Amino acid sequence: MRIALLTGGGDSPATNAAIRAVVKKAQQDGHEVMGVRRGWAGMIEDEMDVLDRHAVSGILPRGGTILGTSRTNPFKQDGGAEAIRATVRGRKIDAIVAIGGDDTLGVAHKLNGLEPPIPAVGIPQTIDNDLDKTDFAIGFDTAVSIATDALDKLHTTAESHHRIMVLEVMGRDAGHVALTAGLAGGADIILVPEKPFDVEAMCDRIQKRRDIGKTFSLVVVAEGATPVGGEQISKDQATDQFGHVILGGIGEYIGRRIHEHCGLETRVTNLGHLQRGGMPTAFDRLLGTRLGVAAVELVEAGRFDAMVAMQGNRIVPVPLGDALQSVKPVDPELLDMADIFY
Amino acid sequence: MRIALLTGGGDSPATNAAIRAVVKKAQQDGHEVMGVRRGWAGMIEDEMDVLDRHAVSGILPRGGTILGTSRTNPFKQDGGAEAIRATVRGRKIDAIVAIGGDDTLGVAHKLNGLEPPIPAVGIPQTIDNDLDKTDFAIGFDTAVSIATDALDKLHTTAESHHRIMVLEVMGRDAGHVALTAGLAGGADIILVPEKPFDVEAMCDRIQKRRDIGKTFSLVVVAEGATPVGGEQISKDQATDQFGHVILGGIGEYIGRRIHEHCGLETRVTNLGHLQRGGMPTAFDRLLGTRLGVAAVELVEAGRFDAMVAMQGNRIVPVPLGDALQSVKPVDPELLDMADIFY
Amino acid sequence: MRIALLTGGGDSPATNAAIRAVVKKAQQDGHEVMGVRRGWAGMIEDEMDVLDRHAVSGILPRGGTILGTSRTNPFKQDGGAEAIRATVRGRKIDAIVAIGGDDTLGVAHKLNGLEPPIPAVGIPQTIDNDLDKTDFAIGFDTAVSIATDALDKLHTTAESHHRIMVLEVMGRDAGHVALTAGLAGGADIILVPEKPFDVEAMCDRIQKRRDIGKTFSLVVVAEGATPVGGEQISKDQATDQFGHVILGGIGEYIGRRIHEHCGLETRVTNLGHLQRGGMPTAFDRLLGTRLGVAAVELVEAGRFDAMVAMQGNRIVPVPLGDALQSVKPVDPELLDMADIFY
Amino acid sequence: MRIALLTGGGDSPATNAAIRAVVKKAQQDGHEVMGVRRGWAGMIEDEMDVLDRHAVSGILPRGGTILGTSRTNPFKQDGGAEAIRATVRGRKIDAIVAIGGDDTLGVAHKLNGLEPPIPAVGIPQTIDNDLDKTDFAIGFDTAVSIATDALDKLHTTAESHHRIMVLEVMGRDAGHVALTAGLAGGADIILVPEKPFDVEAMCDRIQKRRDIGKTFSLVVVAEGATPVGGEQISKDQATDQFGHVILGGIGEYIGRRIHEHCGLETRVTNLGHLQRGGMPTAFDRLLGTRLGVAAVELVEAGRFDAMVAMQGNRIVPVPLGDALQSVKPVDPELLDMADIFY
């Protein structure tokens, strides 16, 4: 068999671990892997090379993706799907393995739904960890590690300066990174999209800490968190309850409100692209490796339109459509539990 | 309620996260926590102090255990259990929360079985991750991280010197650290107690790599791995199939055999106590935090002789007896999967 | 003797190493150390406690300062210097050891210049490393490490997405962090206050890389860098050559200009407070330790109005006035050397 | 000009930074660099390839050496020097740049002394940092970082178990890693070749700590440390004062003696090859970069038989013969200073 392998959307650490695993498993079983350049763009434009074991040598600990990535969506441009079909035919591709988040895997799902179908399977990879039906997506554990390390760093400076430190992390639709890193990094206040926040309540909590002699507090906020009564208008614009535009991101907004409302010196840090870079954790490398092997097994079993998922300690296939149906929210029990820690 | 909290056996990173969580959850619910010094020794000798939130402030990222630990087993010394009962009565302890591995939790189980029972619950903590009924024990993810980082370090020097590098890691009865770190760190050969190894086969595999231009190889071995036909005699002594004593640990033995049998330059590193030290990973800190909170909930529910366990993404109670019945071996599918990577 | 020890200004990793060293050296020689709270504010308000070896136990690897810090300058408030004299007399302080940057050490210098003098010595500590007469100030090596790690992280994501990544680091008056981390982290363009930058030249350099197949570039910029013909107006406001205000920091400005002028997709990250937090490097811990010991020796020798400095491999005393006379710029040879790397 | 570049002896982190710098500087100035395989062995056997900027792309953060290394010494084998001369002539090499420690640079020195000379310059690279006339050699700062991190890890476990932990680090002839990491990592006892140790005095010091409530101690020992009255016989064999062979390395010996003589539970860790692996520190990457550029400048100036050295903040040339004349011992003042910290 000949497998086309691509990575789409925002890059994540440990994606290379999955690429390596796909190649090594395929090679062992006698298949050929074509490495597609820049996600779906490379499928449309027929840019790919054979990936052999030399090509994946030494990539296990490296961040990013050796294949390159893009946000190109063939169903959002004229003739995109047809171009992919032409590439599949021209290159005699038997199956596509797509690594990415909801957008990238959404394309894979639609390709499987064409008549006749273009067979594809998906590997979940998004530092937001908001894909449904899998406990973990590739990159999440590393992003949490980096955000936790940032909280550790902010902790010492907050304590030395008796300040409120706000850290903004990724999570437009779900607050997995904020909640997990917040708990692991000892944040006093954790704000996620799943639960609108109230500035008054934040000030109360900070004050409670001051009452017991803690003159500093750490706040971690997911980029998609919104104030009670407010509204997130678009990716780049949001308002508070008074209709005021929230400039400079939610982190800046919260810093300003704590300063104004609670009357405390506040500093804001936006973790930004640091979250998706660098060396993957051991957890993510193992996850990527297991998912990569399992994806080839799905292809071998002819089980398309599916995603390999981690559930508990096991890797299982789930229908792609199920995984994409809705954003996976944070565990409400975990969110409640966070209330204990301040 | 008054809860006695102790940590026993070998220390692990993130134990302090669990201690902090027990204290904060207990405080929120109006209980008092007594911090017992040096594991079961402190219960026997009645050494403990009140643990309040100031005592656990700032300990989340720190390795080790602020309570100290010991390998004292009250059932292996005369009057041990009676002394514990006296302490429980004298201090008006309502329940014991014990953090540790099979030995420490085994004591908790036996205390629950006394007539009348001394109520105790357990939190799994062992970098070996060999406690049954829980996917993860506290400390394992950090130990794997450290071992993976060691493999990354050995990789560059192995490649520069065209050598075979052997890394010995913990795991007397099960090879979880070796297998997980071996996969995450790109080891070419992974040796675990669950599957006796054959030196001949190792040489073949190393030779296969040389045939494709890879002049170095990485071997990771769990301390309890044994050669085919050989036998592990005791903690400090083992023999190979010819009855020869394996001196200096299994790592040294393997290094010698590769040198003799495959005729290649080999260097051996024993990771030793570095595996149990230092800053815990975010994963372990979250795990410790969740298990600590859940342990207090078990106590509140009067559900004793139980261990809090992680199964999939959820924390659940399991009978202590079940968790201790047998050593949890590595997943055989994962072990088979490792054969792909070299 | 009784020594008052304080830390002022922005906190730095390894400040605690210097605090520990002052205390241990003083104790060995029979002196008493008073730990002053919150920098010069604590001297004005007479807030201090005895620091003994238990107080400094375990602080060597911890970021921040256990004494707390502030930006209070007694010479900028009425009666500040008099209040300090009163504290010195009331507490029978023989000498002050001040740890900090130009502002904190400037106060120490002025106190020595009063009639009669209040004896004080200084320990250089600033992640900007812009104090003159010392090769290194405490915190610089750690800040460079963190910035280099950030560049490593941005490198993988820049490469995967074929983007220009801009990293803004500290350095208002001198570009030590930007230049050192830029060289260590493989930045393609390094912008520092010492040399105004030209957007046209940046585009040329980025284009040169594209010509040889490098579709991404890394830019590191010190916060005080200015465009050719432009002007830095104040801490929070700067203009470009057309008099346009540079909003959102120099990093944002550069990102916008590269996008507009070079026509390339660009992402900006501001490292912010992450630079001053977390665990100090071994280099910084040794530096802090040596400087702390040497500061006590200066006090013992009655050599006041001096700063302990690192010059080559040796710790030497320099007059405080000399160290404060001017900002230490980056080595022009090093800046020229950076032109080789892109 | 055509420059042959090689790396010899034990590998060090940041060697690749120097390789990259040599190539980029040479390319800028119009020279060609030949990358020699496996140190002097590659010069003897004429194994080399052109190194262009693509070959050194992305190697800055990677440990090891992309050129490979060996311990081959052409002056210790018949016809070695002649073979090198033949290679130099055949390949039309104008100069050799050798990166390594005393053995590798010793060969470079001898080649310069032949009649006619084979022109060569040296770049100091040894994690032992025992080359004279340079403050730092490539790899030392990273090795110290790794050893300091190991001490941090051992610290938490020592404290939890009330144990004595011994860490053996590299340093056969000089104790730079042990002393620097010992100070940075808070070791209570530091043993180096420069000063024979006394077990009695160690017990006293450990006891002093117990007297003030510290039930654990950390010992760091350089592999070449010897007991008072004892003798280091060979690389693999040493005796104590009673003529007893020290088996299993000096770390094991010390662990046994502390156990026997001070009566305390002790655990020994040998850091081994972990010290030379992995990602280099920012300090080492900058050092490697500066030394690499400077080496090409030496070649351009026709200044052979010299080594580029770091003295203070400057890179300067020194005669190779001077650098090799004697092992650089640790700074005795620093060794004395260590006595304050326990």
Side-chain angles (χ1 to χ4, degrees):
Chain A
M1 282 203 293
R2 176 175 284 176
I3 297 169
L5 175 65
L6 64 86
T7 56
D11 68 301
S12 290
T15 300
N16 284 331
I19 293 171
R20 170 178 175 268
V22 167
V23 170
K24 291 216 168 179
K25 171 67 177 165
Q27 187 183 44
Q28 195 200 38
D29 294 356
H31 314 308
E32 186 178 59
V33 178
M34 303 298 293
V36 181
R37 302 280 141 198
R38 293 179 302 111
W40 294 112
M43 282 303 294
I44 293 171
E45 295 160 29
D46 194 9
E47 289 182 41
M48 59 184 71
D49 306 288
V50 173
L51 275 187
D52 62 10
R53 61 177 293 158
H54 288 289
V56 300
S57 177
I59 69 172
L60 182 59
R62 291 199 208 141
T65 159
I66 58 164
L67 295 174
T69 181
S70 70
R71 298 198 180 273
T72 300
N73 185 323
F75 292 98
K76 291 181 180 161
Q77 64 180 73
D78 282 352
E82 291 70 24
I84 288 179
R85 190 181 296 281
T87 300
V88 165
R89 283 188 179 152
R91 294 282 191 167
K92 300 188 194 306
I93 303 294
D94 296 292
I96 297 171
V97 174
I99 305 178
D102 54 357
D103 201 56
T104 305
L105 300 193
V107 172
H109 181 46
K110 282 185 185 162
L111 291 175
N112 279 294
L114 294 179
E115 199 48 52
I118 296 177
V121 302
I123 296 179
Q125 174 247 295
T126 159
I127 62 177
D128 290 340
N129 203 30
D130 58 1
L131 275 166
D132 210 359
K133 309 296 172 206
T134 186
D135 294 346
F136 292 102
I138 295 171
F140 173 65
D141 187 67
T142 305
V144 167
S145 275
I146 292 170
T148 300
D149 176 62
L151 285 169
D152 285 348
K153 286 190 167 78
L154 295 179
H155 190 276
T156 56
T157 197
E159 195 167 10
S160 300
H161 286 275
H162 313 282
R163 270 176 192 157
I164 313 305
M165 303 297 280
V166 178
L167 179 70
E168 181 179 328
V169 299
M170 288 190 179
R172 178 136 313 270
D173 302 308
H176 296 280
V177 172
L179 179 55
T180 308
L183 282 165
D188 303 299
I189 294 173
I190 299 172
L191 307 176
V192 295
E194 286 86 345
K195 186 179 170 188
F197 63 86
D198 177 54
V199 174
E200 202 68 50
M202 273 200 279
C203 294
D204 284 354
R205 199 164 167 114
I206 291 169
Q207 188 55 48
K208 269 197 194 169
R209 279 177 56 80
R210 299 179 75 85
D211 293 346
I212 53 167
K214 300 281 188 184
T215 54
F216 68 96
S217 287
L218 287 184
V219 182
V220 62
V221 53
E223 59 183 332
T226 51
V228 168
E231 191 182 347
Q232 190 187 320
I233 297 171
S234 74
K235 194 182 152 166
D236 298 315
Q237 209 180 25
T239 58
D240 66 10
Q241 66 197 110
F242 313 106
H244 296 143
V245 171
I246 297 173
L247 285 169
I250 190 67
E252 288 293 337
Y253 172 81
I254 285 166
R256 233 163 28 236
R257 294 306 307 275
I258 292 176
H259 180 69
E260 287 164 14
H261 210 82
C262 325
L264 294 167
E265 202 185 350
T266 306
R267 292 288 183 280
V268 179
T269 301
N270 189 335
L271 200 47
H273 286 84
L274 300 176
Q275 283 158 99
R276 50 170 83 263
M279 192 176 281
T281 59
F283 182 99
D284 259 338
R285 296 194 210 176
L286 178 63
L287 177 65
T289 298
R290 293 180 73 180
L291 292 174
V293 169
V296 174
E297 289 171 345
L298 275 196
V299 168
E300 291 173 340
R303 193 157 172 184
F304 298 112
D305 203 13
M307 179 182 88
V308 286
M310 183 162 197
Q311 293 182 355
N313 257 347
R314 310 219 61 85
I315 306 294
V316 297
V318 297
L320 260 175
D322 292 4
L324 297 165
Q325 208 160 357
S326 59
V327 165
K328 179 179 69 177
V330 298
D331 178 350
E333 283 184 35
L334 214 53
L335 197 53
D336 286 347
M337 195 189 83
D339 265 339
I340 304 173
F341 297 95
Y342 64 91
Chain B
M1 282 205 293
R2 176 176 284 177
I3 297 167
L5 176 64
L6 64 86
T7 55
D11 69 301
S12 290
T15 300
N16 283 329
I19 293 172
R20 171 179 174 267
V22 167
V23 169
K24 291 216 168 183
K25 171 66 176 167
Q27 185 183 47
Q28 196 200 39
D29 293 355
H31 314 308
E32 188 179 59
V33 178
M34 303 298 295
V36 180
R37 303 280 141 198
R38 293 179 302 113
W40 294 112
M43 281 303 293
I44 293 171
E45 295 161 29
D46 194 11
E47 288 182 41
M48 58 182 72
D49 307 289
V50 173
L51 275 186
D52 62 9
R53 61 177 292 157
H54 288 290
V56 299
S57 178
I59 68 172
L60 182 59
R62 290 195 210 144
T65 160
I66 59 164
L67 296 174
T69 183
S70 70
R71 298 199 180 270
T72 300
N73 185 324
F75 292 98
K76 290 182 180 162
Q77 64 181 72
D78 281 351
E82 291 70 24
I84 287 180
R85 192 182 294 282
T87 300
V88 166
R89 282 189 181 151
R91 293 280 193 170
K92 300 188 193 307
I93 302 294
D94 296 293
I96 297 170
V97 174
I99 306 177
D102 55 356
D103 200 55
T104 305
L105 301 192
V107 172
H109 181 45
K110 283 186 185 163
L111 291 176
N112 279 294
L114 294 180
E115 199 49 53
I118 295 177
V121 303
I123 297 179
Q125 174 246 296
T126 160
I127 61 177
D128 289 339
N129 203 31
D130 58 1
L131 275 165
D132 209 1
K133 308 300 174 201
T134 186
D135 294 347
F136 292 102
I138 295 171
F140 172 65
D141 187 67
T142 304
V144 168
S145 275
I146 293 171
T148 301
D149 176 63
L151 285 169
D152 284 349
K153 287 189 167 80
L154 296 180
H155 189 274
T156 56
T157 197
E159 196 167 8
S160 300
H161 286 274
H162 313 282
R163 272 176 190 157
I164 313 305
M165 302 296 281
V166 177
L167 180 71
E168 181 179 327
V169 299
M170 289 190 177
R172 178 137 312 269
D173 302 307
H176 296 280
V177 172
L179 178 56
T180 309
L183 283 165
D188 303 300
I189 294 174
I190 299 173
L191 307 177
V192 295
E194 287 86 345
K195 187 179 169 186
F197 62 86
D198 178 55
V199 174
E200 200 69 52
M202 274 200 278
C203 293
D204 285 353
R205 198 165 168 112
I206 291 170
Q207 188 54 49
K208 268 196 194 171
R209 279 177 57 79
R210 298 179 76 86
D211 292 345
I212 53 168
K214 300 282 186 182
T215 53
F216 67 97
S217 288
L218 287 183
V219 181
V220 61
V221 54
E223 59 183 332
T226 51
V228 169
E231 190 182 347
Q232 191 188 320
I233 296 172
S234 73
K235 197 183 151 166
D236 298 314
Q237 211 182 24
T239 58
D240 66 10
Q241 66 198 110
F242 312 108
H244 295 141
V245 172
I246 297 172
L247 283 169
I250 189 68
E252 289 292 339
Y253 172 82
I254 286 166
R256 233 163 26 235
R257 295 306 307 275
I258 292 176
H259 180 69
E260 288 164 13
H261 209 84
C262 325
L264 295 167
E265 200 184 352
T266 306
R267 292 288 184 280
V268 180
T269 301
N270 189 337
L271 200 48
H273 286 85
L274 300 177
Q275 283 160 100
R276 48 172 83 261
M279 192 175 281
T281 59
F283 183 97
D284 259 338
R285 296 195 210 176
L286 178 63
L287 177 65
T289 299
R290 294 180 74 181
L291 292 175
V293 169
V296 174
E297 289 171 347
L298 275 195
V299 168
E300 291 173 339
R303 193 156 173 183
F304 297 112
D305 203 13
M307 179 181 87
V308 286
M310 185 161 195
Q311 293 183 355
N313 256 345
R314 311 218 60 85
I315 306 295
V316 297
V318 296
L320 261 174
D322 292 5
L324 297 165
Q325 210 161 355
S326 59
V327 164
K328 180 179 70 178
V330 298
D331 179 350
E333 284 184 34
L334 215 53
L335 197 53
D336 286 347
M337 195 187 83
D339 265 339
I340 305 172
F341 297 95
Y342 62 91
Chain C
M1 284 204 291
R2 176 176 283 175
I3 297 168
L5 175 65
L6 64 86
T7 56
D11 69 300
S12 289
T15 300
N16 283 330
I19 293 172
R20 171 179 175 268
V22 167
V23 169
K24 292 217 168 182
K25 171 66 176 168
Q27 187 183 43
Q28 195 200 38
D29 294 356
H31 314 309
E32 188 179 59
V33 178
M34 304 298 295
V36 180
R37 304 279 141 198
R38 292 179 303 111
W40 294 112
M43 281 303 294
I44 293 171
E45 295 160 29
D46 194 9
E47 289 182 40
M48 58 183 71
D49 307 288
V50 172
L51 275 185
D52 62 9
R53 61 177 292 158
H54 289 289
V56 300
S57 177
I59 69 172
L60 183 60
R62 292 198 209 141
T65 160
I66 58 164
L67 295 174
T69 182
S70 70
R71 298 198 181 272
T72 300
N73 185 324
F75 291 99
K76 291 180 179 163
Q77 65 181 69
D78 281 352
E82 290 71 24
I84 288 180
R85 191 182 295 281
T87 300
V88 166
R89 282 187 181 154
R91 293 281 191 169
K92 299 189 195 305
I93 303 294
D94 296 294
I96 297 171
V97 174
I99 305 177
D102 54 356
D103 201 55
T104 305
L105 300 193
V107 172
H109 181 46
K110 283 185 185 163
L111 290 175
N112 279 295
L114 294 180
E115 198 49 53
I118 296 177
V121 303
I123 297 179
Q125 173 246 295
T126 161
I127 61 177
D128 290 341
N129 203 30
D130 58 1
L131 276 165
D132 210 359
K133 307 300 172 202
T134 186
D135 294 346
F136 293 101
I138 295 171
F140 173 66
D141 187 67
T142 305
V144 168
S145 274
I146 293 170
T148 301
D149 176 64
L151 285 168
D152 285 348
K153 288 188 165 78
L154 296 179
H155 190 274
T156 56
T157 196
E159 195 166 10
S160 301
H161 286 274
H162 313 281
R163 270 176 192 157
I164 312 306
M165 302 296 281
V166 178
L167 179 70
E168 182 180 327
V169 299
M170 288 191 178
R172 178 136 313 270
D173 303 307
H176 296 280
V177 172
L179 179 55
T180 309
L183 283 164
D188 303 299
I189 295 173
I190 299 173
L191 307 176
V192 294
E194 286 86 345
K195 186 179 170 189
F197 63 85
D198 178 54
V199 175
E200 202 67 51
M202 275 199 279
C203 294
D204 286 352
R205 197 162 167 117
I206 291 169
Q207 189 54 49
K208 269 195 194 170
R209 279 176 57 79
R210 299 179 75 85
D211 293 345
I212 53 167
K214 300 280 186 184
T215 55
F216 68 97
S217 288
L218 287 184
V219 181
V220 62
V221 53
E223 59 182 333
T226 51
V228 167
E231 191 183 346
Q232 190 187 323
I233 296 173
S234 73
K235 194 180 155 169
D236 299 315
Q237 211 182 23
T239 58
D240 67 9
Q241 67 198 109
F242 313 108
H244 296 140
V245 171
I246 297 172
L247 285 168
I250 190 69
E252 288 292 339
Y253 172 82
I254 286 167
R256 233 164 27 237
R257 295 306 307 276
I258 291 177
H259 180 70
E260 288 164 13
H261 210 84
C262 325
L264 295 168
E265 201 184 351
T266 306
R267 293 287 184 280
V268 179
T269 301
N270 189 336
L271 200 49
H273 286 84
L274 299 176
Q275 282 158 101
R276 46 171 85 263
M279 191 175 282
T281 58
F283 182 98
D284 259 338
R285 296 194 209 177
L286 178 63
L287 177 65
T289 299
R290 294 180 73 180
L291 291 174
V293 169
V296 174
E297 289 170 346
L298 275 196
V299 168
E300 291 173 339
R303 192 158 173 184
F304 298 111
D305 203 14
M307 180 182 89
V308 285
M310 184 161 196
Q311 293 183 354
N313 258 345
R314 311 219 60 86
I315 306 295
V316 297
V318 297
L320 261 174
D322 291 4
L324 298 164
Q325 210 162 355
S326 59
V327 164
K328 179 180 68 178
V330 299
D331 178 350
E333 282 184 35
L334 215 52
L335 196 54
D336 286 347
M337 195 188 83
D339 264 340
I340 304 173
F341 297 95
Y342 62 91
Chain D
M1 281 204 293
R2 176 175 284 176
I3 297 168
L5 175 64
L6 63 87
T7 55
D11 68 302
S12 291
T15 299
N16 283 330
I19 293 171
R20 169 179 176 267
V22 167
V23 170
K24 291 216 169 181
K25 171 67 176 167
Q27 185 182 47
Q28 196 199 39
D29 294 356
H31 313 308
E32 187 178 56
V33 178
M34 303 300 293
V36 181
R37 304 279 142 199
R38 293 180 300 111
W40 294 112
M43 281 302 294
I44 293 171
E45 295 160 30
D46 193 10
E47 288 182 40
M48 57 183 72
D49 307 287
V50 173
L51 275 186
D52 61 10
R53 61 177 292 157
H54 289 289
V56 299
S57 178
I59 69 171
L60 182 59
R62 292 197 208 140
T65 160
I66 59 165
L67 295 174
T69 183
S70 70
R71 297 197 181 272
T72 300
N73 185 323
F75 291 98
K76 291 181 181 163
Q77 63 181 73
D78 281 352
E82 291 69 24
I84 288 180
R85 190 183 296 280
T87 301
V88 165
R89 281 188 181 153
R91 294 280 192 168
K92 297 187 195 309
I93 303 293
D94 296 293
I96 298 171
V97 174
I99 305 178
D102 54 356
D103 199 55
T104 305
L105 301 192
V107 172
H109 181 47
K110 282 186 186 163
L111 291 175
N112 279 293
L114 294 179
E115 200 49 51
I118 295 177
V121 302
I123 297 178
Q125 173 247 295
T126 160
I127 61 177
D128 290 340
N129 204 31
D130 57 1
L131 274 166
D132 210 0
K133 307 298 172 204
T134 186
D135 294 346
F136 293 101
I138 295 172
F140 172 65
D141 187 67
T142 304
V144 168
S145 275
I146 292 170
T148 301
D149 176 63
L151 285 169
D152 285 349
K153 287 190 166 78
L154 295 180
H155 190 274
T156 57
T157 198
E159 195 167 8
S160 300
H161 286 275
H162 314 281
R163 269 177 192 156
I164 313 305
M165 302 295 281
V166 178
L167 179 70
E168 181 178 327
V169 298
M170 290 190 177
R172 176 135 317 268
D173 302 307
H176 296 281
V177 172
L179 178 57
T180 309
L183 283 165
D188 303 299
I189 295 174
I190 299 172
L191 306 178
V192 295
E194 286 86 344
K195 187 180 169 185
F197 63 84
D198 177 54
V199 175
E200 201 68 51
M202 274 200 278
C203 294
D204 285 352
R205 199 166 167 112
I206 291 169
Q207 188 55 48
K208 269 195 194 171
R209 279 177 57 80
R210 299 179 76 85
D211 293 344
I212 53 167
K214 299 281 187 184
T215 54
F216 67 97
S217 288
L218 287 183
V219 181
V220 61
V221 54
E223 60 182 335
T226 49
V228 168
E231 192 182 346
Q232 191 188 319
I233 297 172
S234 73
K235 194 181 154 166
D236 297 314
Q237 209 181 24
T239 58
D240 66 10
Q241 66 198 109
F242 312 108
H244 295 142
V245 172
I246 298 173
L247 284 170
I250 190 69
E252 288 293 339
Y253 172 81
I254 286 167
R256 236 167 21 239
R257 294 306 307 274
I258 291 176
H259 180 67
E260 288 164 12
H261 209 84
C262 326
L264 295 167
E265 202 184 351
T266 306
R267 293 288 184 281
V268 179
T269 301
N270 189 336
L271 200 49
H273 286 85
L274 300 176
Q275 284 159 98
R276 48 172 83 263
M279 191 176 282
T281 59
F283 182 98
D284 259 338
R285 298 194 210 175
L286 178 62
L287 177 65
T289 299
R290 294 179 74 181
L291 291 174
V293 170
V296 174
E297 289 170 346
L298 276 195
V299 168
E300 292 173 338
R303 194 157 171 184
F304 298 112
D305 203 13
M307 178 181 89
V308 286
M310 185 162 195
Q311 294 183 353
N313 257 345
R314 310 219 62 85
I315 306 295
V316 296
V318 297
L320 261 174
D322 292 4
L324 297 165
Q325 206 161 357
S326 58
V327 165
K328 180 179 67 178
V330 299
D331 179 349
E333 284 183 34
L334 215 54
L335 196 54
D336 287 347
M337 196 188 81
D339 264 339
I340 305 174
F341 297 95
Y342 64 92

